[in-house]
């Protein structure tokens, strides 16, 4: 297999792993947030804000991984 | 140069254009749109708040006035009642006094009349006695003119009449 | 009510938004490999970019990435392409710096610029990399497709809000109730951004940042939605455009930063001295990763949806190529149904990503602008109490 093929493979696998990690992270974040907002609807706004911040941080890390994958796909 | 290369290719020209575009958009919007709009929204918000406050004040005022009115009405009703009661009591009192007075008058009148009657009766008796005595004397004189002196006869008649009046 | 739904969708969107680029990248790779495997012949693949009158260009293959990337023409297939002006800042052969303006790429090539058509590339002059015939292009200031649509968005936003502002000036909406659906809609957007995004995120100093965040929200949402119209392109699917927006947020964050904020970054209080060498670089890095992630997020989300739609449509041709035309026609309903689903999702993503971008910008500014008042928690010094006094005054 030629090296560029390996790079593509790495990019694809990496992208998948990134999606997996981010999905897990945001899932773990969003589930309790939903529960919390269901339990305390009056705190909805604060929960949403802090959830968005945390989701953004997780997503930020995921995006770094994604960028590495894109760079790999650059060849 | 495949796949993401095109998407991630840096393009200084586009960057500069976009910066200019965005700054221009923001400047124009800030100057001509957001300023007037937010200002208008704030003033509308203030207007609405003010009118709501005013309405609330007016409502409170109206309620206070209503309460005032109610108390005033109650007070006036009460005073009217009191007045009425006083008037009635006065009237009652006056009437009672009047009745007593009338009764007293009637009684005094009755008394007077009775005294008058008594007096009249006494004088009438007196007159009657005199009359009877005169008649008797006349009658006796006529009799005694014939046979007795007048003085002796009168004495007899008087004695007789004195026994009469005691009955 | 709507908000709760929005919240649910938002979480869904983020998850999908991360999954989409990956899946689309994989899909595009498939396409690419399929294209490499298949022999180049005239009846191969869908010739989306072939123009009847454009004989000088070779038949183009269906390329989702290419369709999404920037270009120097407006694509009205099957009608002819509309070329956009090219502007080059060049250093000429004699060392003088000048600006060349051409009405179109073809005009530039005729005037002596050279189109470097790649070996094995399917595009013509329009898709080629242009270099100067003599001298060197310093900056390519050409009006590109994405710039054109960014301008269109700008004009739409201006065209919507300037008349509304005029109405407010006249007193409609100020002294009376706002009249008309359009007016109400635009006003509710302004109020949404101001009261639901900016004010809760930034706090007492929010109103200073409302114009910027309003502009960002409306510009981004217009750009996002304009890309969903036929022949439209999403300007925010260009990393340069999102980079500009993110850099603006970065600059605002820098200027919003209080003394407290900087202190927390460069000398975090209440942290053991040994941990500080680890934490401080992380904090400084975090300063830059936030706007970077902001730019990449918007870019990736806007690109991914389009790529997936095009890849789904491309499946038709891939199947037709692999198993014959009959199978290709058979795949049509499935492909179109999926593409429609993704398209509807795209409408949501377009609005939600604009919301997220604005929300996060507001949050970053708010984090920088906040005056910390919990200094009692981590043993502080005189400076901290000074800041508390300032915050209190």
């Amino acid at each position: 297999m030629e090296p560029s093929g390996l790079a593509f493979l790495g990019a694809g696998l990496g992208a998948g792993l990134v999606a997996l990690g981010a999905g897990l992270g945001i899932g773990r974040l969003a589930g309790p947030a939903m529960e919390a907002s269901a339990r305390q609807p009056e705190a909805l706004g604060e929960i949403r804000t802090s959830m968005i911040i945390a989701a953004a941080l997780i997503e930020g890390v995921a995006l770094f991984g994604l960028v590495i994958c894109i760079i790999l796909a650059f060849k | 140069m495949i796949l993401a290369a095109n998407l991630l290719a840096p393009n200084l020209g586009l960057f500069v254009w976009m910066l200019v575009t965005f700054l221009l958009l923001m400047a124009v919007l800030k100057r001509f749109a957001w300023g007037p709009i937010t200002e208008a929204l704030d003033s509308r918000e203030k207007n609405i708040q003010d009118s709501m406050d005013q309405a609330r004040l007016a409502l409170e005022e109206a309620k206070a006035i209503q309460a005032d009115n109610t108390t005033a009405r109650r007070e006036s009703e009460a005073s009217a009642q009191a007045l009425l009661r006083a008037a009635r009591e006065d009237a009652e009192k006056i009437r009672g006094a009047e009745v007593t007075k009338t009764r007293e008058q009637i009684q005094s009148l009755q008394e007077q009349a009775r005294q008058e009657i008594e007096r009249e009766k006494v004088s009438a008796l007196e007159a009657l006695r005199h009359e009877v005595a005169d008649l008797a004397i006349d009658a006796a004189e006529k009799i005694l003119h014939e046979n007795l002196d007048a003085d002796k006869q009168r004495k007899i008649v008087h004695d007789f009449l004195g026994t009469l009046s005691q009955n | 009510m709507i908000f709760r739904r929005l919240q649910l969708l938002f979480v869904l969107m983020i998850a999908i938004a991360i999954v989409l680029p990956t899946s689309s990248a994989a899909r595009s790779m498939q396409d690419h490999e399929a294209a490499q495997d298949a022999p180049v012949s005239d009846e191969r693949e869908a010739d989306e970019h072939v123009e009847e009158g454009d004989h000088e260009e070779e038949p183009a293959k269906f390329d989702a990435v290419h369709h999404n990337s920037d270009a120097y023409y407006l694509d009205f297939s099957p009608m002819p392409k509309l070329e956009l002006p090219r502007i080059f800042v060049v250093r000429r052969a004699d060392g003088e710096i000048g600006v060349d303006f051409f009405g179109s790429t073809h005009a530039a090539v005729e005037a002596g610029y050279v189109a470097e058509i790649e070996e094995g590339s399917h595009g013509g002059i329009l898709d080629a990399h242009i270099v100067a015939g003599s001298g060197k292009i310093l900056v390519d200031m050409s009006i590109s497709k994405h710039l054109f649509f960014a301008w269109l968005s700008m004009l739409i936003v201006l065209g919507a809000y300037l008349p509304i502002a005029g109405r407010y000036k006249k007193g409609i909406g100020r002294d009376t109730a706002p009249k008309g659906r359009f007016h109400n809609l635009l006003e509710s957007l302004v109020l949404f951004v101001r009261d639901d995004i900016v004010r809760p995120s930034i706090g007492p100093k929010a109103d200073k940042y409302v114009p910027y965040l309003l502009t960002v929200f409306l510009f981004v949402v217009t750009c996002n939605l304009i890309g969903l119209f036929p022949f439209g392109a999403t300007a925010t699917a260009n990393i340069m455009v999102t980079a500009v927006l993110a850099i603006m947020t970065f600059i605002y964050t820098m200027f919003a930063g209080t003394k407290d904020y900087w202190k927390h970054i460069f000398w975090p209080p209440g942290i053991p001295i040994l941990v500080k060498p680890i934490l401080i670089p992380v904090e400084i890095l975090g300063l830059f990763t936030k706007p970077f992630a902001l730019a990449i997020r918007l870019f990736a989300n806007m690109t991914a949806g389009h790529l997936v739609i095009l890849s789904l449509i491309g499946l038709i041709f891939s199947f037709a190529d692999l198993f014959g035309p009959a199978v290709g026609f058979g795949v049509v309903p499935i492909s179109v149904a999926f593409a429609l689903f993704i398209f509807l999702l795209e409408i949501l993503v377009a609005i939600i990503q604009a919301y997220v971008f604005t929300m996060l910008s507001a949050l970053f500014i708010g984090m920088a602008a906040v005056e910390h008042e919990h200094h009692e928690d981590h043993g502080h010094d005189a400076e901290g109490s000074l800041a508390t006094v300032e915050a209190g005054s």
Side-chain angles (χ1 to χ4, degrees):
Chain A
M1 193 185 263
E2 52 179 314
S4 70
L6 281 175
F8 283 137
L9 188 65
L13 285 176
L17 286 173
V18 161
L20 203 65
L24 274 176
I26 290 174
R28 288 200 53 142
L29 163 70
M34 292 278 143
E35 272 174 31
S37 57
R39 204 168 293 148
Q40 271 186 296
E42 67 275 5
L44 189 71
E46 286 168 37
I47 292 170
R48 186 174 54 225
T49 307
S50 45
M51 186 182 76
I52 288 174
I53 295 176
L57 291 177
I58 294 170
E59 214 196 9
V61 177
L63 285 172
F64 292 140
L66 207 64
V67 167
I68 302 291
C69 297
I70 290 173
I71 290 169
L72 272 182
F74 244 121
K75 192 160 80 180
Chain B
M1 284 286 284
I2 23 169
L3 283 186
N6 269 341
L7 291 176
L8 286 177
N11 186 340
L12 184 62
L14 181 60
F15 185 86
V16 172
W17 273 123
M18 266 316 297
L19 202 61
V20 170
T21 305
F22 188 76
L23 288 176
L24 183 76
L25 175 68
M26 200 166 83
V28 171
L29 281 178
K30 195 173 177 177
R31 170 81 183 73
F32 296 107
W34 305 146
I37 289 176
T38 46
E39 190 261 327
L41 288 177
D42 285 345
S43 94
R44 193 176 80 200
E45 201 176 296
K46 200 173 153 294
N47 267 350
I48 292 172
Q49 192 58 49
D50 283 357
S51 17
M52 276 169 76
D53 287 348
Q54 270 175 2
R56 196 164 41 236
L57 277 180
L59 191 68
E60 274 166 16
E61 215 167 303
K63 267 185 190 158
I65 288 171
Q66 204 184 19
D68 277 3
N69 280 348
T70 313
T71 35
R73 206 187 63 220
R74 264 200 211 114
E75 273 170 13
S76 63
E77 260 172 20
S79 70
Q81 291 261 334
L83 271 177
L84 204 64
R85 202 176 310 121
R88 203 171 286 150
E89 276 168 8
D90 280 359
E92 199 70 25
K93 215 180 287 168
I94 289 167
R95 201 169 65 100
E98 206 65 27
V99 164
T100 331
K101 214 163 103 188
T102 315
R103 198 168 289 149
E104 278 168 3
Q105 262 177 350
I106 289 169
Q107 269 177 348
S108 75
L109 277 176
Q110 274 179 336
E111 198 63 29
Q112 265 181 350
R114 201 178 303 130
Q115 281 171 356
E116 194 79 9
I117 289 167
E118 199 65 28
R119 224 179 4 258
E120 287 296 318
K121 196 173 114 190
V122 170
S123 71
L125 274 177
E126 197 70 22
L128 189 63
R129 198 175 289 159
H130 278 288
E131 196 69 22
V132 168
D134 282 351
L135 276 176
I137 289 167
D138 279 352
E141 203 177 44
K142 265 177 194 158
I143 301 164
L144 286 177
H145 236 320
E146 317 285 308
N147 42 33
L148 277 176
D149 65 294
D151 290 331
K152 201 177 172 184
Q153 285 174 349
R154 182 167 298 157
K155 193 182 170 286
I156 295 166
V157 170
H158 263 290
D159 289 346
F160 171 68
L161 281 177
T163 58
L164 264 185
S165 68
Q166 274 161 2
N167 294 331
Chain C
M1 198 57 209
I2 283 172
F3 253 111
R4 257 174 238 179
R5 267 181 222 159
L6 228 145
Q7 187 185 31
L8 194 81
L9 280 167
F10 166 73
V11 176
L12 199 75
M13 283 313 110
I14 289 186
I16 288 171
I18 290 181
V19 173
L20 284 192
T22 55
S23 65
S24 63
R27 195 68 49 72
S28 302
M29 250 176 265
Q30 274 179 10
D31 285 358
H32 178 78
E33 278 160 21
Q36 276 186 335
D37 293 346
V40 180
S41 63
D42 280 348
E43 77 254 33
R44 206 205 91 231
E45 295 273 4
D47 299 342
E48 287 268 309
H49 294 282
V50 179
E51 308 305 330
E52 290 298 317
D54 234 353
H55 288 297
E56 62 188 44
E57 290 182 18
E58 288 175 29
K61 78 178 168 87
F62 183 84
D63 186 344
V65 173
H66 172 256
H67 186 88
N68 263 304
S69 54
D70 210 355
Y72 295 104
Y73 54 85
L74 303 180
D75 197 349
F76 292 115
S77 342
M79 289 173 281
K81 291 168 184 169
L82 180 65
E83 291 188 38
L84 292 167
R86 303 300 301 254
I87 303 162
F88 301 112
V89 178
V90 289
R91 182 185 288 128
R92 297 191 206 292
D94 52 8
E96 187 190 346
I97 292 174
V99 179
D100 283 348
F101 182 91
F102 303 103
S104 67
T105 310
H106 279 95
V109 171
E110 275 164 29
Y113 281 85
V114 178
E116 284 184 336
I117 300 174
E118 273 181 63
E119 195 72 26
S121 151
H122 44 267
I125 290 172
L126 288 180
D127 293 318
H129 184 230
I130 302 287
V131 292
S134 60
K136 190 171 182 293
I137 295 176
L138 293 177
V139 187
D140 185 355
M141 294 288 284
S142 306
I143 314 297
S144 71
K145 183 171 72 172
H146 285 157
L147 184 61
F148 177 84
F149 280 101
W151 282 352
L152 194 63
S153 307
M154 179 177 93
L155 289 179
I156 289 170
V157 174
L158 287 177
Y161 274 96
L162 291 183
I164 293 295
R167 283 169 72 113
Y168 279 110
K169 270 187 197 154
K170 266 187 269 165
I172 304 168
R174 181 209 301 268
D175 307 322
T176 67
K179 286 197 184 75
R181 284 178 199 170
F182 193 57
H183 189 164
N184 272 300
L185 172 76
L186 295 181
E187 189 193 294
S188 68
L189 284 178
V190 173
L191 288 175
F192 168 67
V193 172
R194 193 186 69 174
D195 296 343
D196 287 342
I197 299 180
V198 184
R199 281 188 178 167
S201 309
I202 299 183
K205 282 181 282 185
D207 284 9
K208 212 164 67 181
Y209 304 101
V210 165
Y212 165 64
L213 292 163
L214 258 176
T215 313
V216 164
F217 178 77
L218 290 162
F219 180 69
V220 170
V221 84
T222 318
C223 279
N224 290 354
L225 288 174
I226 237 176
L228 296 173
F229 283 93
F231 305 126
T234 321
T236 40
N238 189 311
I239 189 74
M240 286 296 124
V241 176
T242 57
V244 167
L245 298 174
I247 283 169
M248 289 298 297
T249 296
F250 181 68
I251 291 169
Y252 265 91
T253 314
M254 294 293 103
F255 280 106
T258 53
K259 201 163 56 178
D260 243 27
Y261 173 69
W262 294 115
K263 193 165 152 276
H264 271 258
I265 286 172
F266 290 113
W267 200 248
I271 306 282
I273 200 97
L274 286 175
V275 184
K276 279 184 183 177
I278 306 167
L279 203 65
I280 291 169
V282 169
E283 289 273 3
I284 293 171
L285 200 65
L287 218 59
F288 298 99
T289 55
K290 279 186 228 159
F292 177 73
L294 213 54
I296 297 281
R297 179 182 301 112
L298 185 57
F299 157 74
N301 276 292
M302 291 340 290
T303 311
H306 289 58
L307 281 180
V308 170
I309 290 177
L310 288 167
S311 300
L312 283 169
I313 299 295
L315 275 184
I316 299 169
F317 306 109
S318 295
F319 272 88
D321 191 39
L322 287 171
F323 306 111
V327 181
F329 277 112
V331 172
V332 166
I334 303 164
S335 268
V336 170
F338 273 98
L340 181 66
F341 170 70
I342 300 291
F343 189 90
L344 294 175
L345 216 60
E346 273 277 272
I347 297 172
L348 274 175
V349 171
I351 294 161
I352 287 167
Q353 284 306 318
Y355 169 73
V356 167
F357 192 97
T358 316
M359 184 80 191
L360 286 173
S361 294
L363 281 174
F364 294 154
I365 293 171
M367 276 151 92
V370 79
E371 305 272 5
H372 289 282
E373 286 177 38
H374 52 273
H375 281 276
E376 293 75 26
D377 298 349
H378 31 251
H380 62 293
D381 45 15
E383 206 184 319
S385 52
L386 192 72
T388 318
V389 169
E390 276 173 6
S393 61

